[in-house]
Amino acid sequence: MRPEILFPLFAPVQTLPGIGPRLSGFVSKVCGPNIIDLCWHLPIGFIDRRYSPDVANVLPGSIATIKLKILDHQPPKSRKLPYKVICGDNTGEMELVFFHSRADYLVHMLPVGETRIVSGKVDIFKGKVQMSHPDRIGLPEEASVIQTIEPVYRLTAGLTSKPLLKAIKGALLKTGVLPEWQDLTWLKRQKFPAWRDALLKVHAPKNESDVGNNSTARRRLIYDELLADQLALTIVRSLNRKKSGRIIKSDNGLIKKIMGKLPFELTTGQKGALNEILSDMAEPYRMLRLIQGDVGSGKTVVAFLAMIRAVECQLQAALMAPTEVLVLQHYKTLKPWGEYIGVNIEILTGKDNKAHRKNVLDGLINGDISIIIGTHALLQDDVHFKDLGLAVIDEQHRFGVHQRLMLNEKGKKADMLVMTATPIPRTLMLCAYSDLDSSRLVEKPAGRQEVETRAVPTTRLEEIIDRLKHTLDEGARAFWVCPLVEESELMDLEAATDRYKFLDSRFKGRVGLLHGKMKPSEKEKVMKSFMEGELNILVATTVIEVGVDIPDANIMIVEHAERFGLAQLHQLRGRVGRGIKSSACILMYSNPLSENARARIKILRETDDGFRIAEEDLKLRGAGELLGTRQSGLPVFRMADIVSHQDLMVAAKDDAKLIIERDPYLNSKRGEALRILLYLFQKDNVVQTLRSG
Ligand code: ADP
Ligand code: MG
């Protein structure tokens, strides 16, 4: 239950004086439905309305608040002309100018013969002092209210600044002093004000730095937000850990045997990750671990060995991948290894024939099948395991959280391993996945080629084709990636099909086409011809982005590279450079390049380190972009900015960890205040789990 002290803050916006249903609708849209949401709606700027000159002395271009006598109304002679109101003071006359405004409203607001306080931007137009569309018009006694520094807030269509200012003012009046939940030494060191003081200060900016990301008052509120978030994650995580899993450990019999049979040595990174996984599995809690590693860093074999550990313990393992192509690829790699150690590996996709499907389903129930590799077909209701001990998910970002859970639920307290080739920046890891343990495969397996990366404007297409002719004659294999399948009417995207036809006319019979709308069987056929070298060029949409391993492919051409994100381009480039031939990645772009696109291409040319690229990507995209990522499971903060508040994020994580270590149920005095913090940020369900814990 929400503590009483917070009730006023969680009252609907509508309960504020002067906020009717219509206005509260708009306010909800821009900040949220409750009073507290208004408090969190921080200014993005300010307007200084203190400058109050005489008409004769106005500084053109400035914001001025002037006391004026209304002298005359001059309605326009045509719709195109403005409505003018002539006013003045002892020193001179000026015009208030309105376009498309209603006359009756203006007559009401600015009655001739009376005095009004008017505030807005003044200019000199044809020698006359003018103010068009004043921001504020008030009675003389309202002068002091208007003549201030006014915060500026993000608005929405239908909501102007005046009512929002009023609503926020009203909301702030509802706030009271709350018990301090922050550590006092920390507060002092950071010079953070108390919560309510910080709130009041943030909403009354006096200068540029007050509205910046680094104002102490703002940082205080942001730290509250981050701490609430980290605390909630830490609590959930510590409770999950207590939920018992199963102990999966053995003497390595099969693992040792297969290790000797692998065609390569594991890299140090792979060994490290494997050890982390195996020791997690041996613990009595449920494993939830993420393996992060660039394309080609060799995640599959690590997952395979973990699955073998489960098999050693008479348990089953499942590997789920997002596409049939990938599933087939995994199956081809792993099946022979399994055969060597007598482990039965099978495959399940959406397109299996009935007999095969029945065999597989039976084998899973009676335990004949030890490892199953499949698409999301594995999630179907009729798939039952004898005893699933480990669920592995490849390219986890292609699945939703619930799909991950569904696979996991097929076992009894099964351990879970998720893999991603999209490295997650540390900061995001902290805030979005801090309930996950993570292993990073940083180095690449030996023998990986460096990929020469070049950026070439689309206008030089013919040159590219000429060079391609030479390299193809030397046995090269090229991917040619286009952004969309069909010509879009709105954008001049080079359609993959058109490009395919064009290239096929140049390289008769050596070009294949692969796109998302093809049937799986067709896709497979094309992939196979490409893999076996019948085709030398594979024109593809981004369907090849995920996980495909074709060691012979050594050229990657990306059209309209400027339209791809940094991480995506890095993924694409990772498709080549796996074999012995020297490799190249050609980023074709159309001018003019945006600043941002230029930066992306530059970074790609500079580095091949996926982790660094991920950090740069985050910086380039900034938190603004991330606000659009609600669906992707990334957190959306109201105030914090993942990029510029990294220091606070790290501090909040440590703080949360320490708090829960010392006071796991938040029973101390500070613990009680922290519960209020959790409620304040609507982590009610987390506080409830504390109670039941
Ligand atoms: P990803 O991490 O992208 O899933 P894969 O697991 O598909 O990468 O591995 C890419 C390729 O590297 C595969 O052909 C795999 O057999 C090979 N490989 C994996 N580990 C090593 C290693 N330690 N040494 C050499 N090659 C390796
Ligand atoms: Mg992979």
Side-chain angles (χ1 to χ4, degrees), residues 54 78-79 108 243 246 317 393 465 469 480 531 569 614 628:
D54 295 328
S78 95
R79 283 285 295 161
H108 169 75
K243 260 190 216 153
R246 47 208 298 177
I393 298 192
I465 290 187
K469 275 212 175 94
W480 190 298
M531 253 184 244
L569 289 173

Side-chain angles (χ1 to χ4, degrees), residues 668-687:
S668 68
K669 187 151 174 284
R670 184 180 177 203
E672 271 168 31
L674 283 163
R675 285 171 183 244
I676 293 180
L677 173 70
L678 289 171
Y679 278 115
L680 197 58
F681 283 94
Q682 285 170 281
K683 313 272 184 203
D684 300 27
N685 50 352
V686 173
V687 191

Side-chain angles (χ1 to χ4, degrees), residues 121-347:
K121 191 164 168 230
V122 278
D123 265 311
I124 308 267
F125 186 70
K126 290 189 177 160
K128 282 186 184 153
V129 181
Q130 278 196 346
M131 184 188 292
S132 64
H133 294 270
D135 305 325
R136 298 281 174 268
I137 298 173
L139 299 170
E141 55 267 34
E142 290 173 309
S144 65
V145 185
I146 297 176
Q147 211 177 321
T148 55
I149 302 180
E150 187 183 282
V152 172
Y153 297 97
R154 196 163 43 80
L155 300 169
T156 179
L159 182 66
T160 54
S161 71
K162 205 172 160 190
L164 182 62
L165 276 170
K166 191 169 171 209
I168 289 177
K169 235 180 211 160
L172 291 173
L173 283 176
K174 300 275 178 187
T175 60
V177 172
L178 296 178
E180 184 56 74
W181 46 74
Q182 297 293 2
D183 178 65
L184 296 181
T185 327
W186 164 254
L187 279 188
K188 220 168 170 184
R189 186 148 30 103
Q190 295 286 323
K191 302 195 172 61
F192 283 169
W195 176 75
R196 181 162 188 269
D197 295 342
L199 210 51
L200 297 181
K201 188 150 193 290
V202 160
H203 284 284
K206 296 268 178 292
N207 53 47
E208 270 314 313
S209 63
D210 283 349
V211 291
N213 260 332
N214 288 325
S215 94
T216 43
R218 204 172 269 250
R219 276 169 65 84
R220 150 83 213 216
L221 298 179
I222 285 164
Y223 191 70
D224 287 342
E225 176 172 46
L226 292 171
L227 183 63
D229 190 64
Q230 284 300 325
L231 199 57
L233 284 167
T234 310
I235 289 168
V236 169
R237 182 188 164 103
S238 80
L239 290 177
N240 272 346
R241 283 191 166 246
K242 285 184 190 116
K243 260 190 216 153
S244 55
R246 47 208 298 177
I247 296 175
I248 303 177
K249 70 176 177 196
S250 76
D251 60 1
N252 272 342
L254 286 178
I255 290 190
K256 274 196 196 116
K257 197 168 169 199
I258 188 65
M259 288 267 237
K261 181 72 181 168
L262 291 177
F264 45 72
E265 245 324 275
L266 291 191
T267 63
T268 322
Q270 284 172 319
K271 281 183 199 153
L274 182 63
N275 281 336
E276 285 170 336
I277 294 163
L278 295 185
S279 62
D280 270 2
M281 290 173 74
E283 292 290 330
Y285 59 76
R286 258 182 184 192
M287 171 173 76
L288 178 52
R289 183 171 281 277
L290 174 70
I291 309 184
Q292 298 187 66
D294 249 331
V295 167
S297 58
K299 296 181 290 293
T300 315
V301 66
V302 175
F304 175 68
L305 294 170
M307 294 195 284
I308 294 301
R309 165 54 51 87
V311 176
E312 282 174 351
C313 299
Q314 278 71 53
L315 297 171
Q316 291 163 297
L319 169 59
M320 181 163 77
T323 63
E324 265 154 43
V325 171
L326 260 185
V327 165
L328 272 171
Q329 186 181 297
H330 285 320
Y331 179 72
K332 270 202 205 124
T333 316
L334 303 184
K335 180 76 180 170
W337 295 349
E339 270 165 6
Y340 179 74
I341 48 175
V343 170
N344 188 14
I345 302 182
E346 272 308 331
I347 188 166

